[in-house]
Amino acid sequence: MSEGTKGPIVYEFARQRVTLCKEGLPDRTVWLVLKRTVGAAPSYAYAISNAPASTPLSTLVWLSGLRWAVEQGFEESKTELGMAHYEVRKYAGWHHHMLTTMLAHFFLWHLKLRLGKKSPSPYRVAAAHDLRGRLTPTEIYE
């Protein structure tokens, strides 16, 4: 179940072990996960997972819901933290930029959860009165 623009959306899931082929020969066995909306005009989505054969369907369903959160994190990192603004020529530089951006996003997300709503200041940082008495040094560095 997820939130849609017109209310909750209910899904049905199924899974099947399938063998992928490469150049006409069997390659590897994976899960084919099928997701369908419940209703008069169902829509379908498919995904392939390399999870072990012992993985329960409930785990695959849970993982299918995480994709949105990951995509949202990337989008926020691009727009708010400059993930897409890099000028590097080598993989090591690109990897460093991406890692630093994602760590900054996680830090800000964690801070937002701890502090609550934004300050009325134009810089959108937590106001001093919001911090007073709410966090101890040990909580900040946990």
Side-chain angles (χ1 to χ4, degrees), residues 64-76:
S64 75
L66 291 180
R67 180 177 175 165
W68 179 84
V70 171
E71 288 177 358
Q72 182 184 12
F74 276 117
E75 189 60 36
E76 289 173 357

Side-chain angles (χ1 to χ4, degrees), residues 112-130:
K112 183 179 176 183
L113 287 176
R114 291 261 181 165
L115 299 176
K117 63 183 179 176
K118 293 179 182 175
S119 151
S121 78
Y123 301 108
R124 294 185 173 179
V125 296
H129 67 274
D130 289 340

Side-chain angles (χ1 to χ4, degrees), residues 11-142:
Y11 298 100
E12 291 180 330
F13 285 85
R15 68 180 178 167
Q16 180 66 46
R17 291 293 281 177
V18 296
T19 302
L20 298 178
C21 293
K22 190 174 190 178
E23 298 177 7
L25 299 171
D27 185 30
R28 58 191 171 115
T29 304
V30 296
W31 285 112
L32 173 63
V33 182
L34 302 107
K35 179 169 108 173
R36 169 177 79 174
T37 58
V38 176
S43 63
Y44 295 86
Y46 308 92
I48 293 176
S49 173
N50 62 351
S54 61
T55 305
L57 178 61
S58 60
T59 301
L60 295 173
V61 170
W62 175 71
L63 289 171
S64 75
L66 291 180
R67 180 177 175 165
W68 179 84
V70 171
E71 288 177 358
Q72 182 184 12
F74 276 117
E75 189 60 36
E76 289 173 357
S77 295
K78 285 179 187 175
T79 57
E80 301 292 330
L81 300 171
M83 180 185 270
H85 301 279
Y86 58 89
E87 294 182 17
V88 296
R89 295 179 182 261
K90 297 190 178 180
Y91 177 77
W94 176 85
H95 190 266
H96 180 264
H97 179 74
M98 293 297 133
L99 179 63
T100 306
T101 307
M102 292 306 291
L103 286 172
H105 183 264
F106 175 74
F107 171 74
L108 293 173
W109 173 78
H110 188 70
L111 207 57
K112 183 179 176 183
L113 287 176
R114 291 261 181 165
L115 299 176
K117 63 183 179 176
K118 293 179 182 175
S119 151
S121 78
Y123 301 108
R124 294 185 173 179
V125 296
H129 67 274
D130 289 340
L131 294 173
R132 199 173 346 156
R134 300 250 340 243
L135 294 175
T136 64
T138 53
E139 289 178 321
I140 293 172
Y141 297 107
E142 283 181 335

